[in-house]
Amino acid sequence: MTNHWSDMVNSDVVLIMGGNPAENHPVSMNWLRRAKESGTILIHVDPRYNRSSQICDVYAKMRSGADIAFVGGMIHYALENERINLEYVRNYTNASWIVNEGYAFEDGLFSGYDEASRSYDRSRWAFELGEDGFARTDPTLEHPRCVLQLMRRHYARYDADSVCNVTGTPREVFLRVCSQYTSTFAPDRAGNWLYAMGTTQHTHGTQNIRSYAILQLLLGNIGVAGGGVSALRGESNVQGSTDQGLLFANLPGYLKVPVEADADLGDYLSRVTPKPLAPDSVNWWGNTPKYVVSLLKAWWGDHATAENDFAFDYLPKIGAGFEGAGYSHIPLFQAMYAGQIKGAFCFGQNPAVGGPNSEMARKALDRLEWLVVADLFEHETAGNWMRPGVEPSENQTEVFLLPAAASIEKEGSIVNSGRWVQWRYEAVDPPGQAKADLDIIDGLVTALKSVYAEDGVFPDPIRNLVWDYAGDGGHVDAKRVTMELNGRFLADTLTSGGASVAAGTQVPGFPELRDDGTTACGNWLYCGSYTEDGNLAARRDPTDAVNGIGLYPNWAWVWPLNRRILYNRCSVDLEGRPYNPDRWVIRWNEESRSWEGDVPDGGMPPGAPPFIMLPGGVAQLFSPDLLDGPLPEHYEPVESPIRNPMSSQQINPVVRIWDTTEFDKLGTADEFPIVASTYRVSEHWQTGAMSRNMPWLVGLMPDSFCEIGTVLAREKGIENGDRVLIRSARGQIEVYALVTERFQPYFVGGRTVHQIGIPWHWGWAGLGTGESANVLTANVGDPNTMIPEYKVFLCDLLKKGVA
Amino acid sequence: MAQKAMIQDNTRCIGCRACMIACKEWNDLGADETDFFAGDGYQNPRDLDANNYTLITYSEKPEEAEWVFGRLLCMHCVEPACVSACPTGALSKSDLGSVDLNKWRCIGCRYCVQACPFVVPKFDFGTPLPEIHKCTFCADRLAADLAPACATVCPTHAIDFGDRDEMLAEAKRRIADAPGSYVPHVYGEEEVGGTNVFHLSSVPFEKLGYEMGLPKEPLPNLTHKILRFVPSVFFTLLSVFGVMAWIVRRRMTRMGIAEDH
């Protein structure tokens, strides 16, 4: 999140799209409930009326996969009615930047598209450069190729009627949402946009989020109290895991992982370190070399020196991945299915239920020679060799099931959606032989080091790895790990302020990190969280800051640098005066020549461009960085019931369509006329590996079910409680039918379309069992993130026993 | 000690059922054996029972996509009908406001089940050693100055807990401050002479599955005038007949009619 939970009471309007916080972040609803009681309008946009809709003021139904159309319509409404914060847009976004003449958009395709490779030549979307090498701009926003004018033309097609024909939203409800939400364009009103997997799990998921960001920027809602783009992060500790670089393309702190083509450190750094795109841009990622070198020093200590490129050779480099598709979940399982992967570690994950295309995933797992699972229960992945319908003696996988400690049985931190790093303690000992993940990894590394001490192919990275986290009683001390994440000085030196610090001192903040090997830091983003003042994530002081907007600066620790609202320089004008004095975030004190309030996002005096993490310094309404377009454009999901009403380009033109296994089948509306989506409920958690072993939870929701609208149920002769068969191009499942008014038919693309929904928590293992919804989902994903399109696919259904 | 009371504010309820699970955890209740759902939406089980001292109700409005949640639990009435009906005094009203059940005195007669206007106490029809079951108001937690388990765990503070006067005032204040958000009625304030659980709702209470049409007078008033004499009449008659039987026996023995044991 750019803001945080306790900031939501400052919002005038909150819109939730592609998210269901009441069911999946129940504790967060306390903040939304308080906001509502203080006058905030809550709007929920969702294909299904669910427990979040119930508490909101306005519910707008929207067909799965139509986000870009819906939000495009809101952007159209804002632009047409001049409900945009013009000063904010002019000064803080790239609205004035001029795009080169080669850019065009025609019938769903941007310029530079190559059909054979299904990819774009993104240089066709580049900005027009001036003689100084920076982008040319028109601050009057009139130039026909400036971003704002390009956007007006692009979004002209997203009028209310066209949009509602795609989304299926009743026109008057859609316009009401537009009117209420765009009221936040005023400087004294703020709107917050919440989203979750309903947004991201699409083949245009990244562009979905881009639409939200664009609208929020036009309204001036980023960097202000009550504003923001609020990703509702996954069930803990997804925020922490992405921060620490668990995504395959990242190193800790969202640094980019090196690739095979990076010959040495210099090559790599010049590839990943951006250059400023505007003359006054701060371009904070320009500091990348300091963070990378400090990381290498943390990992390989004295073995990483200036002479050996700081042990850059020790870092694994990624190649192109399976069939050039990288190493995300789908290509990983394709590679596994093809027998290319010998063994796997599966920590706190159950891909046999949670990944797309379950039948294919389970057969892929069959091909492993060995599998190490660390979890609390023997779930469907650990027990894949004995699943119903297979002969265990025919399975060759050796499974090692390591019992893992639950979250309250170990010490460490969890990061919430608002980037709050909160320290937690061990409440009870893990049962039996269960161990904390840290201890499991510690055991593994210790064993690896001991075998690699004798022998091994390229043993240096393991032999020379710094590994000294032992605490009391044979456990890893999470605090020691955290101290390394923070980092320390490796030599006696002076800080940037001129103070002298001794070697071994914790680094107070990442501005002090160096690229000369004198600092070590396991994660630059966390630099400042465990300083000489101690473990700041353990603080629990509820005193609010001087501006009283719910920052709570001394409760836990927030990255980066305890800054609670990101991009907060957007909350003030170019002189440093708050746009909304009643809810000011930061303000410039001319006498003391310093900022008050939240930690400013860049301590420079007023006037510097506020988006310091972007090379241009201003937010990108038009972004040449993504693979599928500089502006979001509506495409239908890969499996869709209708032809795309917006253009001839049916699906995302860059999406990879897999054709490698017999499970890579896609269905059409002739055979599978019903749209289906998967989602979660309060009562169960992810693949149900834990919650389906809790008798009380199983009592509440015992078995797989799908939710079907009353109209569709009547057509199919299905009554509440009947068993039904749901079939997609990948497989078939049998579940209970819950007939409800909360799914209503859609009228889109000129015809009636029905949508159903299936919670995906169930599998064959455990106390409460049921069939897995992901048997039905497909191996298609977003081209930028590769996240699978779990949220929309085609199916057919019939009552069991009916031919 | 002031009487304690609870607010159940259904405008804040998100139907998550953490309250049901917390109650089972605190009272060590059993798990439900279910196949599907038992009512509208996700309701499980169908009613309060031996394993569920509280229950979230889901009621769908026909022909409109809308949802309402309510919560059933013991209302801990000010003048409980169950306490009055219980022949052994197993049920009693405590100083803290909870209606307590002493299971060692309970003879399973089910008079309380008949008497309760909210249909709360439930009997174990399925076991050879049956008991009556109902919400305890977490009286053991109250005695340790803690709030009931449900109130402690509710993520949205739909369940508030405190001194009865304060809770009633707070319930009324919420309605007064946001009249558009609430039906102007505190359910439990006046029903059957008043209770210690005050429900607030954004829709008419009958849609939540609550008992409606209840009189304002405490139910024990209907019978108390006469029935309060039952124990004393019973024991008096028992004593009188006992003495008379003893006298008659003595005379009959003396007259040689009865044998002298």
Side-chain angles (χ1 to χ4, degrees), chain A residues 232-291:
Chain A
L232 306 180
R233 294 315 302 269
E235 309 189 33
S236 74
N237 182 10
V238 163
Q239 179 69 57
S241 77
T242 58
D243 291 350
Q244 303 306 337
L246 291 195
L247 294 174
F248 79 89
N250 290 348
L251 293 174
Y254 302 102
L255 295 167
K256 294 190 178 33
V257 90
V259 300
E260 273 181 300
D262 295 325
D264 55 27
L265 181 63
D267 249 15
Y268 162 71
L269 288 176
S270 64
R271 177 175 68 83
V272 303
T273 307
K275 305 216 177 4
L277 292 182
D280 49 356
S281 166
V282 173
N283 187 33
W284 197 266
W285 274 117
N287 291 302
T288 296
K290 302 174 187 169
Y291 308 148

Side-chain angles (χ1 to χ4, degrees), chain B residues 68-233:
Chain B
V68 180
F69 312 130
R71 188 162 79 103
L72 304 181
L73 71 160
C74 175
M75 298 291 278
H76 300 281
C77 302
V78 171
E79 288 196 47
C82 62
V83 169
S84 161
C86 178
T88 61
L91 286 157
S92 60
K93 176 81 173 172
S94 78
D95 293 332
L96 282 172
S98 56
V99 173
D100 299 335
L101 169 63
N102 179 347
K103 64 178 196 173
W104 297 110
R105 279 205 184 181
C106 174
I107 54 172
C109 72
R110 292 172 278 139
Y111 281 10
C112 57
V113 176
Q114 307 299 318
C116 175
F118 301 102
V119 200
V120 164
K122 292 291 183 279
F123 181 72
D124 266 335
F125 284 104
T127 80
L129 295 175
E131 292 178 12
I132 285 285
H133 298 274
K134 72 169 196 72
C135 158
T136 65
F137 227 27
C138 284
D140 47 353
R141 291 177 65 92
L142 265 59
D145 219 18
L146 297 170
C150 55
T152 305
V153 85
C154 176
T156 53
H157 296 276
I159 309 174
D160 250 326
F161 189 78
D163 291 344
R164 191 174 186 277
D165 318 331
E166 282 170 28
M167 290 295 100
L168 187 54
E170 168 65 15
K172 293 185 160 165
R173 187 196 62 75
R174 286 188 198 173
I175 296 177
D177 282 355
S181 305
Y182 292 97
V183 164
H185 179 68
V186 177
Y187 182 94
E189 181 191 1
E190 290 182 327
E191 281 79 354
V192 293
T195 73
N196 282 28
V197 180
F198 305 124
H199 295 253
L200 298 172
S201 172
S202 57
V203 302
F205 287 93
E206 51 261 31
K207 294 199 191 285
L208 304 179
Y210 287 15
E211 295 297 316
M212 305 302 297
L214 298 171
K216 287 192 183 168
E217 244 201 301
L219 293 183
N221 282 6
L222 297 173
T223 52
H224 192 61
K225 297 181 183 57
I226 299 167
L227 285 188
R228 65 192 168 100
F229 293 115
V230 163
S232 42
V233 166

Side-chain angles (χ1 to χ4, degrees), chain B residues 13-36:
Chain B
C13 178
I14 53 174
C16 74
R17 302 192 276 190
C19 54
M20 288 177 65
I21 301 296
C23 173
K24 282 168 170 293
E25 202 266 335
W26 185 256
N27 292 297
D28 215 10
L29 302 179
D32 305 300
E33 306 267 328
T34 54
D35 294 314
F36 182 57

Side-chain angles (χ1 to χ4, degrees), chain A residues 81-96:
Chain A
N81 294 292
E82 299 299 335
R83 282 160 85 82
I84 67 175
N85 186 330
L86 198 56
E87 184 179 317
Y88 183 110
V89 167
R90 189 197 315 278
N91 293 329
Y92 298 154
T93 75
N94 69 358
S96 62

